[in-house]
Amino acid sequence: MRLLRLLGLGSARLSTTALTTMAIVTLLRLFGSTRGAATTIVVLWVPAVLVPTALAAFTSAGYPPETIAALACYLILVPFVVFPVVVVLAYRLAPRRVSHSIAELCTVWVLWNSHVIGFGSLLLLFLVPAYLTRQEHLEVLYDYGVFMLFVVAPLIIVSGGFKFVATRKRWGWSWPQRALTGAYCLLVTLCMWMGQAYVRPHAVPTTMVACAIFYAYACTYLPPHPNASPPEVSGAREWPWFREAGRPIWNLAIDYLKLRLVVDGADDAAAPPAFVAGRATVAGFHPHGIIPYASGLLAMTAEWRAAFGDVRPHMMTDFMTHLLPLMRDLIHWLGGREVSKESIRRALRRREVVMLVPGGQAEIFTTRSWGTRVYLYRAHKGFVRLALQHRARLVPLLSMGEWQLMDNVSWPRTQALSRRLLGFPFPFAPYGAYFLPIPRRPRHGLTILIGRPIDYECAQLAEGDSPSDEEVDRAHKLYFDEVRRLFEKHKASCGYPDHQLVFLDSKEQVAQVGLHPGGEAAEGKRD
C-alpha cells in the first residue's frame, strides 16, 4: 500500500488502471495484434510510474516536492513553449528588434517540435485555474499528468494503433473504426473522472473543462460527414494564405539550414521542366534521414518559385504525424497529406504533385551524421506502380547533407521490433544541435538536387490499370539510375567529394547496417 500511495494510486485509481489496461489488451486482440499488447502497456504506463518515483526520490533527498513541481511546470512552459513562440511572433511583428540567429533557432524549434508546444500548452488549462484557486504546483502537475495519460494518450496511441492494424489487415478506416476509438476514449475518460472524484473531488471541474476543450479540438480529426474522406486525405484543411502569410517565418528556417535548390539541366533550354501545373507528378525525396526536414521547406524557397511558379507539391507524411496536436495542424494548413494509397491516388487523379520519401522509416536505422556512406533503401516500388497507373511522371529529389542534420538513439533490435508491432521505431529520441531535437546547421549547407523527369508510359495500359511487374521494375531502375547520376555529378560541388551512395535492397541489409554502423558486411549495392 505504501508503494501505491507513492504512485498516487488509491483503490479507485487502481481499478481505473486495471480497467484501462484490460480494455487495451482486449481491443488489441480484437484487432489481431496480441504481440503489441505488452509494448503498448509499457508505453502507456511507464511514465506514470517514473514521474512520481522521481519526485519521491527528490523528496527523500531533501528537496521539497512543491519546489520540484514548480520547477517542472515552468521548465515545460517557458523554454519549450512560451519563449520560442514569443520570439517568432516578435520577429514577425518587429524583425529589427529580435536577433536573427535567435529567431532562426526558435523558428526551427516551433516548426519541427510543434507537437511539444501542443502538449506543453495543455498545461495552461490546469495552471491558470490553479492561480485562481491557489492550488499548489504539485497538484497542477499531478492533474496534468493524469489528463495526459487518460485523455490525450489514448486518443493518439489507440487511434494510431488501430489505424496501423487496420492498414496492415486491409480493413479500411472509416466511421465504424472511428466510433470504436471514440467510445473507448470516452470510457477511459469516464473512468478517470470516477477515480478523480474519489481521490481529488475539488479538481474534477478543471479536468472536465480541459477534457471538453481537448475533445472539441479532437473533432477536427473527423471528416465533415461519416462517409467523407478525413482531412489528411482530402486536404480540406489546406490554407493557401497561411503559406504566403508565413513566408518570413519559412525564410528563417531556410536561412538556418542554408538551404539552396539546384535544378539539374536548368541550363538546357530544350529540357522539360520537372514540375508543371496540371501534370500529375510523383516526386521522391531522398534520403529520409532521421526526419526529412528539408522536404517541407523545398517549395518555400525563392529558387522553387522562380523555376516552377505556383506549383505546390503535397508532402505525404506518416500517419502518426496526423495525430499529434498542432503538428497535424501545421501539416494540413501547408497542404500536407497522409502517405496512403487513397490520398496519393486522389491527388494524382486531380493532376497534382505529390512528394513522398520512398526510403521510409527503414532509412532511420541507417542514417548517421558521421562517415562517408549515404544509405538509400530502394526496395519499395509502390510509388512507381502508382505513378504508372496514373500516367504520372517521376522526379527524384536528392538532399545533399540531409543525413548530417540529426541522429537518433541507437537501440536497433528494440526499434526494429517496435516498428513491426507499432508502425514506428521506439525509442525515437532524435537529437541534433545542443543535443536537442533541433537540426544542426550543415557544414556545407543543404543542397536539394532536382533530377530530370522520367516520363515512363507502359504500352497499352489504360489509366488506373495495374502495370506488370516487369514494367514497374524498368521504371524503378530508371528512377534510381537518375538518383545515382545526380549524386555522382553534384557530390563534389555540394561539399561531399569522398562520399559514396549505397543502395540497400532488403530489410536484412538495413538491419545489418543498423547493428554494425561502422562495418562493411552489409553495404548493399553501389552499382
Side-chain angles (χ1 to χ4, degrees), residues 345-506:
R345 285 171 175 162
R346 186 187 187 101
L348 293 181
R349 284 196 295 266
R350 295 181 177 182
R351 300 294 185 263
E352 295 174 337
V353 179
V354 300
M355 184 191 302
L356 45 81
V357 187
Q361 293 182 2
E363 292 180 359
I364 295 178
F365 301 97
T366 60
T367 296
R368 52 190 60 90
S369 59
W370 66 91
T372 58
R373 297 187 186 92
V374 179
Y375 295 98
L376 296 187
Y377 183 64
R378 63 176 179 182
H380 294 145
K381 299 181 180 180
F383 73 103
V384 176
R385 188 178 298 275
L386 286 172
L388 296 184
Q389 286 177 346
H390 294 85
R391 296 181 180 178
R393 65 173 25 166
L394 288 161
V395 179
L397 309 174
L398 191 58
S399 180
M400 301 297 288
E402 190 79 25
W403 57 88
Q404 291 187 341
L405 298 184
M406 299 196 78
D407 292 294
N408 187 32
V409 294
S410 181
W411 289 14
R413 298 185 189 277
T414 304
Q415 290 163 339
L417 177 63
S418 64
R419 182 170 176 265
R420 288 198 299 269
L421 296 179
L422 302 176
F424 62 92
F426 179 84
F428 184 66
Y431 62 92
Y434 314 110
F435 294 97
L436 291 173
I438 301 176
R440 304 180 184 94
R441 295 177 186 265
R443 184 185 308 170
H444 304 289
L446 204 61
T447 303
I448 299 182
L449 308 174
I450 297 183
R452 299 188 179 185
I454 300 171
D455 294 317
Y456 187 97
E457 294 188 5
C458 300
Q460 300 179 350
L461 178 68
E463 185 173 354
D465 291 345
S466 182
S468 65
D469 292 340
E470 291 76 12
E471 295 281 8
V472 172
D473 289 341
R474 291 193 194 102
H476 184 266
K477 184 178 185 304
L478 287 175
Y479 176 88
F480 278 98
D481 285 346
E482 176 65 10
V483 173
R484 165 73 67 190
R485 188 191 67 81
L486 274 178
F487 183 87
E488 297 298 336
K489 177 181 177 180
H490 294 278
K491 67 178 183 178
S493 61
C494 293
Y496 305 99
D498 299 328
H499 279 60
Q500 300 171 343
L501 185 63
V502 180
F503 289 132
L504 303 177
D505 297 312
S506 67

Side-chain angles (χ1 to χ4, degrees), residues 189-208:
T189 301
L190 290 174
C191 293
M192 179 198 68
W193 285 344
M194 289 188 296
Q196 196 170 43
Y198 179 80
V199 179
R200 290 172 46 77
H202 62 281
V204 172
T206 300
T207 305
M208 292 184 71

Side-chain angles (χ1 to χ4, degrees), residues 143-165:
D143 292 337
Y144 171 71
V146 170
F147 172 77
M148 294 293 292
L149 190 63
F150 288 91
V151 179
V152 180
L155 180 65
I156 295 174
I157 295 177
V158 176
S159 298
F162 284 179
K163 195 163 189 177
F164 175 70
V165 174

